[in-house]
Amino acid sequence: MSRAATRCCLVTVLLLAAAGPGPRADAAPQRAAAADAAFLDALTWGATPSTFAQLTAEGRARWLHAQLHPPAESRLPPAAQAQVDALTPPGSLFERAQALDAQAKAAKEIADPEARKAAQQAFRGALNTAARNAASAWVLRALYSPDQLRERLTWFWFNRLNVHQGKSTLRAAVGDYLDTAIRPHVLGRFRDLLMASLRHPAMLRYLDNDANAAGRPNENYAREIMELHTMGVGSGYTQGDVEALARILSGVGIAMKPETPKLRPEHAADYRRDGLFEFNPNRHDYGDKVFLGARIRGRGWPEVEEAVDLIARHPATTTSVSRALATYFLGRPPDDALVARLAAVFGRTDGDIAAVMAALVREPVFTAERGAFKDPVRYVFSALRMAYDARVIRNAGPVLGWLNRLGEGLFNRSTPDGYPLDAASWSGPGQLATRFEIARQIGSGSAGLFKPSLPDQAEEPAFPVLANGLYFAALSGTLSTATRAALAQAVSPQDWNTLYLASPEFMR
């Protein structure tokens, strides 16, 4: 049999094996190390030799405490931080939005058709650059932040409170939404996270609440906040509750002009403004409402605070959020008894996400053997972390391309439900074939990851090292007989890397 044919057979074996868990070697000396690696992998974007060494030195309890209670400011290694700083636009979101609005208006007013077309293309280019830079910064934080649990939860909560970059000018706002509304609150109280999302212009524009006004209600956000963000479908709220919440949220929107609008004297004191966020009493329905069985007196912004309290503390929300967290971190739907225990912690701590996560990690099922298929983001990030450990990539472009090819592009979910959490959504034959191709690209060389975007900078030499200390200390003993046989027939380090990244064990 030719070398090409042999390699094709090996690939076929691995792809078929990836459809279901195979037999696992049970090397006794490696059991404890393998368990620690699995624990680390479950809570981070992928175990690495350096994080594995840190965990084993500190012990699980100390390591977990630091992950549950990270510093308020996100932190990165200097090389990664320098790139994030370069990708972060200057000024506030309000200032950037004003500049883009002026650019769009100026382009529209150009008389010459060709010049107008060029100006409009430049405007769209500015939006695309903003979105690409925000996604690249997200990749760098995910790969290199020492606060890995916070980064995993940032992805989870962004996905649950999803906005899509393709609507309107949201490409210029998604990065700020992630950095100011999501990440700072992912280990705090759920109510604060929900309110931060509600006040951000990206969410208000995505779900059309900026068009919600007294006499002209828009129910989009009111419906999705209950159906997707909090209580869940079939949890007991009614169409009347949707209508009441839409009335409560009327006047919550976006202000592009720096000056305060002319307000009716009787409600002028109710006006609120923070950057682009605005509560405009002229647009608010001041009638009394009945929401989730509670009578809410019409009095402006305090109605919104009261409604958020009701939703965030509703028993259906504690159950829905707890179930989603457990599904995401276990890789499969949890049983009702586990959800009930987590929901009890949620209710007792007033929605303390860190406390719910601590309770989940203490559950015996959390450390049980895992077999769930990784979603694309987790697969790509874990492959890069394993391949390069703490060495910082210089170009996130290939990563963004891989995630788009795998169907889980950052900021690219167009519907408000976010990407699916269940493994079955990601394990089709087409997904496996694409993963093998990406495994080949990552495993065979630098794949453009170390080629700076500036044309006058040379690409750094780099080669992935997957047969590293973590592999030999903890992972090699967990491989099935079929995977071992395939790896033993690899004809080069590149081939070995590719086959390992395409193995059912790594995909899970």
Side-chain angles (χ1 to χ4, degrees):
M1 182 181 293
S2 70
R3 172 175 155 177
T6 301
R7 189 170 184 274
C8 182
C9 289
L10 297 177
V11 170
T12 301
V13 168
L14 288 173
L15 291 179
L16 289 173
R24 302 170 70 90
D26 194 20
Q30 293 182 314
R31 288 179 191 171
D36 279 344
F39 179 83
L40 185 67
D41 203 55
L43 292 169
T44 69
W45 280 118
T48 69
S50 60
T51 56
F52 178 72
Q54 180 185 5
L55 175 70
T56 53
E58 294 180 357
R60 290 191 191 184
R62 182 180 171 190
W63 181 87
L64 178 61
H65 184 271
Q67 291 293 310
L68 290 169
H69 306 282
E73 294 295 324
S74 59
R75 48 192 179 150
L76 288 170
Q81 186 63 58
Q83 291 189 61
V84 169
D85 291 343
L87 293 165
T88 304
S92 67
L93 179 60
F94 178 75
E95 292 168 335
R96 297 196 300 272
Q98 279 193 311
L100 284 167
D101 188 54
Q103 183 181 359
K105 289 178 179 177
K108 189 176 181 180
E109 293 171 358
I110 296 175
D112 179 71
E114 290 301 317
R116 182 171 61 250
K117 181 179 179 181
Q120 290 172 337
Q121 287 177 339
F123 172 69
R124 290 191 293 271
L127 292 177
N128 291 336
T129 297
R132 184 171 59 250
N133 287 351
S136 296
W138 189 352
V139 168
L140 290 165
R141 292 190 186 280
L143 292 178
Y144 305 112
S145 172
D147 306 313
Q148 281 284 292
L149 180 56
R150 176 158 62 191
E151 293 306 313
R152 283 286 305 277
L153 284 165
T154 297
W155 169 247
F156 169 81
W157 287 116
F158 179 91
N159 193 52
R160 187 172 178 91
L161 307 174
N162 182 54
V163 300
H164 179 232
Q165 65 178 352
K167 183 167 184 177
S168 184
T169 58
L170 287 187
R171 283 166 286 178
V174 285
D176 187 86
Y177 177 67
L178 186 77
D179 292 339
T180 65
I182 303 296
R183 183 178 289 107
H185 303 286
V186 298
L187 282 162
R189 282 187 163 75
F190 175 72
R191 192 262 188 205
D192 297 335
L193 172 66
L194 185 64
M195 180 59 82
S197 174
L198 181 151
R199 289 170 56 96
H200 198 279
M203 178 59 73
L204 295 174
R205 179 147 293 170
Y206 175 58
L207 291 179
D208 304 315
N209 208 78
D210 58 338
N212 182 15
R216 293 180 286 109
N218 188 300
E219 299 176 2
N220 285 3
Y221 184 39
R223 186 179 309 281
E224 303 300 3
I225 198 174
M226 288 191 286
E227 179 176 315
L228 298 175
H229 300 173
T230 58
M231 298 171 63
V233 178
S235 57
Y237 67 85
T238 66
Q239 174 60 25
D241 290 319
V242 174
E243 294 169 0
L245 184 55
R247 292 176 61 205
I248 291 167
L249 293 172
S250 60
V252 178
I254 298 170
M256 289 297 297
K257 297 179 180 179
E259 61 270 10
T260 300
K262 186 176 180 179
L263 301 167
R264 299 188 187 101
E266 64 270 25
H267 296 306
D270 296 343
Y271 182 77
R272 289 172 177 259
R273 177 74 178 270
D274 181 13
L276 286 172
F277 165 79
E278 177 187 64
F279 174 74
N280 188 335
N282 289 352
R283 297 167 55 82
H284 182 66
D285 181 341
Y286 272 86
D288 292 348
K289 297 94 177 171
V290 177
F291 177 59
L292 295 178
R295 180 166 295 278
I296 295 182
R297 182 172 54 85
R299 60 198 191 282
W301 177 256
E303 299 172 49
V304 180
E305 298 273 5
E306 185 176 353
V308 169
D309 285 340
L310 287 171
I311 301 170
R313 293 164 178 158
H314 195 281
T317 296
T318 67
T319 299
S320 175
V321 171
S322 297
R323 185 180 303 278
L325 277 168
T327 300
Y328 178 60
F329 281 96
L330 295 178
R332 58 185 181 277
D335 61 49
D336 291 342
L338 170 58
V339 173
R341 291 192 293 274
L342 297 179
V345 175
F346 190 108
R348 187 170 63 250
T349 62
D350 195 22
D352 187 330
I353 300 168
V356 176
M357 284 301 306
L360 175 60
V361 174
R362 288 194 298 268
E363 289 284 340
V365 68
F366 187 82
T367 53
E369 184 173 343
R370 294 169 174 273
F373 204 69
K374 293 176 182 176
D375 68 277
V377 172
R378 194 171 173 202
Y379 173 70
V380 171
F381 286 177
S382 62
L384 292 174
R385 282 171 59 81
M386 182 68 174
Y388 290 105
D389 198 354
R391 182 171 181 180
V392 178
I393 64 172
R394 300 293 306 278
N395 181 8
V399 184
L400 302 179
W402 294 330
L403 295 178
N404 285 330
R405 287 182 60 194
L406 290 169
E408 202 175 16
L410 304 183
F411 310 139
N412 275 352
R413 179 71 169 183
S414 60
T415 52
D417 56 347
Y419 290 111
L421 298 178
D422 61 299
S425 299
W426 304 110
S427 57
Q431 178 82 193
L432 294 175
T434 304
R435 288 193 188 201
F436 184 84
E437 175 58 24
I438 292 170
R440 185 192 63 77
Q441 292 181 42
I442 296 175
S444 297
S446 62
L449 296 165
F450 295 88
K451 183 178 182 180
S453 56
L454 297 177
D456 58 340
Q457 291 184 290
E459 183 173 4
E460 297 177 359
F463 187 79
V465 180
L466 291 149
N468 51 37
L470 173 60
Y471 172 80
F472 289 111
L475 304 179
S476 60
T478 68
L479 302 180
S480 68
T481 302
T483 298
R484 288 173 176 272
L487 292 174
Q489 296 182 58
V491 297
S492 67
Q494 292 90 336
D495 215 35
W496 191 97
N497 288 342
T498 299
L499 294 171
Y500 178 68
L501 292 176
S503 70
E505 289 84 359
F506 192 84
M507 287 199 195
R508 295 176 182 276

